[in-house]
Amino acid sequence: MDNSRTLHIINGDSVLTSLIHLNLNGKKFVWREMLCEGPTEIHLNTSSFKEVRKAFLSKYYHIPPSEYEDKFISQFSILENNQYSEINLWFEYDLFCHMNMLAAIQLLSDLEFDIPIYLICSGRIKGENKLKGLAELTSEEVKQEYENRILLTKDDIELALHIWTLYNEKNPKKIVPLLSKDSNFKYLSSCLRAHLERFPNATTGLNVLEENLLNLINNYHITSAHQWLGYSLQYQGYYGYGDLQMQKLIDKLSNFTVYTKDRLILNEKGMSIINNEENFYREMKDNMVFGGAYKYDFLYNKDSHKLLKL
């Protein structure tokens, strides 16, 4: 189905397995990063970027720098061969994947890859309502997604580079005008909106995802933190967060919950959030950074979908 001069940049190991089953030839770069969280820099192939990411992942997720080198930076050697004839980007519909995808396009641009770039982006499958990741697809569905891959235009590439640059700046308000920008990135607008909604709202001091996690407890019979994690992964919309990220959020939100004899419920503080009665900005505030912007330097207005700089 393919030739050895093709480069596949893949969003994770589970998708790598799917490609191996399809006998897709060519080099495979597995993108083992989570650039939707923590400080980033525009240019990835620098010692500065690598040190910034190592420090963040070590501090927040206890990922040793040596593991980062082994699992992600080691993949960069695959790009030293500039003799590829085409590149396939295998990424999904969510924010987690889209930020990695934008960074991958920046990296290719920095290395002056001037060859066709195709996008294989899973999401809504014909005849189904549920958005599905690439790893959730059958072999036949993956094959079909590959056959329907989209050639990215020059405008698409320029848009991706522009958004990645803005993501690395201190002012996420600059992203707002791009929410309605047309492109071949079918889910980009939804992901950008999800990103902006990660900033705390002015009423409760929590962001949309954090409030949704508390609503899960209010709406479902959840008996344990483990079950809460399962529900949070299943009902997170366009975020695409993994276990590590979601567990971190759950740990932070545990102050708003209490156990009864048979279930987990919201305590008085948690209910005040659901009812928009109290603001917990100060209690929630930490040093989390999204690209170049500190999470708690901005407030998100749910009604106007605008950001306010503090």
Side-chain angles (χ1 to χ4, degrees):
M1 289 179 63
D2 210 349
N3 62 63
S4 59
R5 293 186 62 208
T6 297
L7 171 63
H8 301 279
I9 301 183
I10 309 162
N11 74 323
D13 290 283
S14 57
V15 179
L16 175 62
T17 302
S18 299
L19 268 59
I20 292 173
H21 286 162
L22 278 181
N23 295 318
L24 279 179
N25 297 320
K27 287 288 186 177
K28 299 174 179 66
F29 182 127
V30 184
W31 197 275
R32 303 183 184 99
E33 246 285 18
M34 51 167 71
L35 296 173
C36 61
E37 271 194 349
T40 57
E41 294 184 0
I42 295 174
H43 304 291
L44 285 72
N45 197 24
T46 65
S47 58
S48 176
F49 170 87
K50 295 165 188 174
E51 292 309 311
V52 162
R53 293 304 296 173
K54 285 178 187 177
F56 168 74
L57 293 169
S58 176
K59 178 181 178 181
Y60 275 82
Y61 293 108
H62 309 295
I63 297 173
S66 59
E67 183 177 334
Y68 185 74
E69 285 279 352
D70 181 55
K71 291 191 173 181
F72 183 57
I73 300 302
S74 65
Q75 298 286 290
F76 283 38
S77 63
I78 295 172
L79 302 179
E80 293 174 0
N81 172 16
N82 207 335
Q83 301 303 311
Y84 297 111
S85 59
E86 65 177 38
I87 298 171
N88 292 308
L89 302 177
W90 295 79
F91 289 92
E92 298 177 359
Y93 62 87
D94 53 67
L95 175 68
F96 185 108
C97 269
H98 269 58
M99 286 306 171
N100 288 337
M101 176 190 69
L102 296 177
I105 292 173
Q106 179 68 59
L107 179 58
L108 294 171
S109 175
D110 288 344
L111 296 175
E112 300 182 346
F113 277 82
D114 188 19
I115 55 178
I117 299 177
Y118 294 89
L119 176 63
I120 300 99
C121 182
S122 69
R124 199 167 301 284
I125 304 299
K126 187 175 181 179
E128 298 188 30
N129 292 324
K130 180 180 178 289
L131 291 166
K132 296 176 75 171
L134 289 164
E136 299 176 87
L137 304 182
T138 65
S139 293
E140 186 58 37
E141 287 172 332
V142 174
K143 179 181 177 182
Q144 190 171 28
E145 290 290 319
Y146 174 73
E147 291 174 348
N148 294 330
R149 62 189 180 151
I150 297 171
L151 175 64
L152 297 179
T153 67
K154 182 181 178 181
D155 287 345
D156 293 327
I157 299 299
E158 289 180 353
L159 176 63
L161 296 175
H162 182 46
I163 293 174
W164 176 248
T165 297
L166 294 182
Y167 179 68
N168 280 273
E169 294 183 359
K170 293 181 178 181
N171 186 5
K173 295 169 68 174
K174 293 181 180 180
I175 293 175
V176 175
L178 299 174
L179 290 174
S180 57
K181 185 78 171 176
D182 288 332
S183 73
N184 279 313
F185 301 111
K186 184 177 179 180
Y187 301 99
L188 181 59
S189 292
S190 296
C191 291
L192 293 179
R193 187 173 298 283
H195 166 54
L196 298 177
E197 290 177 349
R198 293 192 296 172
F199 294 93
N201 76 64
T203 305
T204 65
L206 277 70
N207 65 23
V208 168
L209 181 56
E210 291 159 349
E211 289 185 355
N212 286 347
L213 292 185
L214 293 182
N215 271 307
L216 288 175
I217 292 179
N218 210 36
N219 296 333
Y220 295 93
H221 188 93
I222 295 176
T223 60
S224 66
H226 180 72
Q227 187 182 12
W228 189 12
L229 174 61
Y231 273 78
S232 68
L233 292 169
Q234 184 178 355
Y235 297 110
Q236 60 174 307
Y238 282 96
Y239 287 97
Y241 278 14
D243 292 29
L244 282 177
Q245 292 168 293
M246 205 61 85
Q247 186 61 61
K248 195 85 173 176
L249 283 177
I250 284 176
D251 291 343
K252 192 175 180 182
L253 293 171
S254 62
N255 290 336
F256 302 106
T257 66
V258 64
Y259 282 98
T260 66
K261 64 178 182 180
D262 65 343
R263 66 178 294 183
L264 184 64
I265 63 172
L266 298 180
N267 60 21
E268 186 176 338
K269 292 197 299 183
M271 288 306 301
S272 71
I273 292 170
I274 298 299
N275 296 324
N276 293 319
E277 294 173 344
E278 197 169 348
N279 189 294
F280 292 92
Y281 174 90
R282 293 184 181 279
E283 185 172 329
M284 293 292 291
K285 187 177 180 180
D286 58 24
N287 293 319
M288 176 55 74
V289 183
F290 300 138
Y294 279 93
K295 174 180 178 180
Y296 290 94
D297 279 356
F298 295 85
L299 292 177
Y300 179 75
N301 187 308
K302 289 191 291 185
D303 297 322
S304 65
H305 303 296
K306 293 182 179 179
L307 289 173
L308 171 68
K309 177 74 170 72
L310 292 180

